[in-house]
Amino acid sequence: MTEIVFLVKDDPDGGYTARALGESIFTQADDIETLRKMIRDAVHCHFPNEHNRPKIIRLHIVRDEVIAS
């Protein structure tokens, strides 16, 4: 595997959540910088063997916005 993709969303309770597509990896954090660190750590824990670990972690950030018409 050369790449893993995380779907990042705003958490309704504040902060962010991130879920890997195709893998059982989930993490959350209060800010985006901390989330990046948490994602990297989760990927290292899920793939302890460096040779099997994805070389690229892609974040797909989804944000819902509501505006008045």
Side-chain angles (χ1 to χ4, degrees):
M1 174 183 298
T2 60
E3 180 177 288
I4 188 166
V5 178
F6 279 82
L7 183 62
V8 177
K9 294 183 179 182
D10 290 326
D11 189 334
D13 296 328
Y16 299 91
T17 62
R19 182 176 308 280
L21 303 179
E23 298 290 338
S24 297
I25 305 174
F26 177 84
T27 191
Q28 60 189 36
D30 291 332
D31 57 75
I32 198 74
E33 199 57 42
T34 304
L35 184 68
R36 287 183 182 116
K37 293 175 186 172
M38 298 294 289
I39 289 171
R40 195 173 286 120
D41 183 58
V43 169
H44 283 237
C45 288
H46 193 77
F47 297 97
N49 183 340
E50 187 175 342
H51 298 292
N52 295 337
R53 189 178 306 143
K55 305 298 182 239
I56 296 172
I57 301 171
R58 186 176 304 274
L59 305 182
H60 179 72
I61 301 174
V62 178
R63 177 171 283 138
D64 290 325
E65 289 190 34
V66 178
I67 59 173
S69 59

